């Protein structure tokens, strides 16, 4: 997410009303839908390729980055949102800031979570930014802080930041010659090297200089030994489809060459080097993508300002 250096020109009467929500509860006495449990830990570790022995066996703990997993509402959504939270977002929607995108999160871990722990939480609207202009559009960054407890003990803090905005659709189409453009990837200090590699048509994997473990996506430290020193290895580009989903809705023309907006396949690709990454599969109909299908890395320019790694599959 690339934000402007300040608020757009013109008075912002809405901001004063939004600031009044800072410090108000977003959720009170929330309860996780499930206790911490081994199946969810196993699925998480398999999907992330995390083989740390601390997450299995009789004394297993949950990966710390699963903190939010135990508080999420799932497809049925949250039922405990406060009236203040609903009022805040109703105010933004009513002012035309109807689109939303998650921008980043911060977590603090206070104690390990173990199978059987019952999760409860409270959440507060921590801050609302001044009006900002980003590449997606103009809007406000809203940060909520969730304080998570396990069996009544403080277990961690999760800050979640979103942008509620009015899309800059006309400006994006003008830059793209009237075409819809894909959302921009979030580039930060932790993954800037990866995107620099993409610009050079190289798929770079982080490699821990302490234990030699390869990791993807890019992280500040090694999840095998904790070392924060690393270099990179260039992927060969060979891989197979580990799993995949087909996106049917919402239709988004920028994701389909024919402009229809879907359906299209999004796959978890297992690279020959042993790590996995999420990417589009191209070159085959979406309903022909299968686990185990061999794929080959390509770089797809989707518009004048964006190039992405994708994988071309073969029906055979």
């Amino acid at each position: 997410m690339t934000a402007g250096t300040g608020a757009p020109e013109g008075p912002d009467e809405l901001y004063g009303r939004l600031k009044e929500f800072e410090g108000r509860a977003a959720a009170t006495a929330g309860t996780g839908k499930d206790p911490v449990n081994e199946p969810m830990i196993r699925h998480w570790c398999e999907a992330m390729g995390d083989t740390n022995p601390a997450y299995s066996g009789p004394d297993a703990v949950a990966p710390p980055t699963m903190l939010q997993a135990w508080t999420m509402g799932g497809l049925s959504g949250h039922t405990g949102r406060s009236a203040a939270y609903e009022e805040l977002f109703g105010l933004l929607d009513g002012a035309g800031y109807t689109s939303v995108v998650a921008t980043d999160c911060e977590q603090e871990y206070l104690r390990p979570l173990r199978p059987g722990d019952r999760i409860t939480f409270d959440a507060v609207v921590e801050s609302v930014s001044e009006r900002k202009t980003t590449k997606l559009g103009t809007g406000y960054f809203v940060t909520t802080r969730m304080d998570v407890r396990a069996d009544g003990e403080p277990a961690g803090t999760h800050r979640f930041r979103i942008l509620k905005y009015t899309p800059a659709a006309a400006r994006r189409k003008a830059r793209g010659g009237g075409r819809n453009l894909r959302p921009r990837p979030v580039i930060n200090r932790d993954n800037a090297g990866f995107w620099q590699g993409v610009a050079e048509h190289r798929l770079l994997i982080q490699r821990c200089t302490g234990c030699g473990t390869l990791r993807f996506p890019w992280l500040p430290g090694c999840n095998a030994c904790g070392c924060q020193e690393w270099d990179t290895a260039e992927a060969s580009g060979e891989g197979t489809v580990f799993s995949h989903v087909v996106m049917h809705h919402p239709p988004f023309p920028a994701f389909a060459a024919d402009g229809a907006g879907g359906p299209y396949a999004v796959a978890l690709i297992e690279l020959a080097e042993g790590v996995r990454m999420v990417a589009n599969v191209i070159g085959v109909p979406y309903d022909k993508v299968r686990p185990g299908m061999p794929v080959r890395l390509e770089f797809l320019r989707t518009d004048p300002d964006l190039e992405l790694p994708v994988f071309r599959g073969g029906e055979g």
Side-chain angles (χ1 to χ4, degrees), residues 243-279:
S243 63
H244 76 287
V245 296
V246 175
M247 300 298 296
H248 292 270
H249 184 81
F252 193 179
F255 283 88
D258 60 5
Y264 56 91
V266 180
L268 183 63
I269 304 297
E270 184 159 285
L271 300 178
E273 291 73 19
V275 299
R276 298 171 187 160
M277 68 176 291
V278 175

Side-chain angles (χ1 to χ4, degrees), residues 241 281-296 311-316:
V241 173
V281 176
I282 64 172
V284 294
Y286 68 87
D287 56 353
K288 299 297 184 181
V289 178
R290 294 288 185 271
M293 172 183 284
V295 291
R296 176 72 186 176
F311 288 84
R312 181 172 294 276
E315 294 188 49

Side-chain angles (χ1 to χ4, degrees), residues 75-316:
L75 293 177
S76 58
H78 289 280
T79 58
R81 298 292 197 192
S82 71
Y85 186 89
E86 300 293 350
E87 185 180 351
L88 169 62
F89 281 81
L91 190 61
L92 287 163
D93 288 341
Y97 301 100
T98 55
S99 295
V100 62
V101 63
T103 61
D104 62 285
C105 69
E106 302 171 14
Q107 294 184 338
E108 179 183 3
Y109 312 116
L110 302 178
R111 87 151 173 85
L113 297 179
R114 300 178 177 84
D117 282 343
R118 289 283 177 178
I119 301 301
T120 56
F121 57 90
D122 296 308
V124 64
V125 179
E126 189 167 68
S127 66
V128 182
S129 76
E130 296 180 353
R131 188 173 58 194
K132 301 288 185 179
T133 296
T134 75
K135 288 185 176 181
L136 290 180
T138 298
Y140 300 86
F141 290 91
V142 179
T143 303
T144 55
R145 187 192 76 241
M146 180 178 290
D147 297 313
V148 180
R149 297 177 298 276
D151 292 336
E153 298 179 357
T157 299
H158 177 79
R159 285 181 174 84
F160 190 63
R161 189 171 295 108
I162 64 170
L163 174 66
K164 283 285 285 178
Y165 67 101
T166 299
R171 178 161 56 87
R172 291 204 309 272
K173 283 190 177 183
R175 286 173 49 236
R179 295 181 291 109
N180 288 278
L181 305 185
R182 291 200 186 194
R184 309 293 94 175
V186 176
I187 301 177
N188 54 40
R189 64 183 180 182
D190 292 329
N191 66 10
F194 168 77
W195 289 107
Q196 180 60 43
V198 169
E200 299 169 355
H201 286 190
R202 304 167 64 212
L203 184 63
L204 299 180
I205 306 169
Q206 279 184 311
R207 177 173 53 202
C208 175
T209 56
C211 67
T213 298
L214 298 177
R215 64 178 184 264
F216 194 93
W218 283 36
L219 297 169
C222 179
N223 55 18
C225 73
C227 178
Q228 296 185 351
E229 302 298 325
W230 53 271
D231 57 13
T232 61
E234 184 174 354
S236 67
E238 302 291 341
T240 57
V241 173
F242 182 80
S243 63
H244 76 287
V245 296
V246 175
M247 300 298 296
H248 292 270
H249 184 81
F252 193 179
F255 283 88
D258 60 5
Y264 56 91
V266 180
L268 183 63
I269 304 297
E270 184 159 285
L271 300 178
E273 291 73 19
V275 299
R276 298 171 187 160
M277 68 176 291
V278 175
N280 285 119
V281 176
I282 64 172
V284 294
Y286 68 87
D287 56 353
K288 299 297 184 181
V289 178
R290 294 288 185 271
M293 172 183 284
V295 291
R296 176 72 186 176
L297 174 68
E298 291 186 9
F299 292 91
L300 175 67
R301 181 165 293 282
T302 64
D303 62 64
D305 299 325
L306 183 63
E307 195 165 16
L308 297 171
V310 297
F311 288 84
R312 181 172 294 276
E315 294 188 49

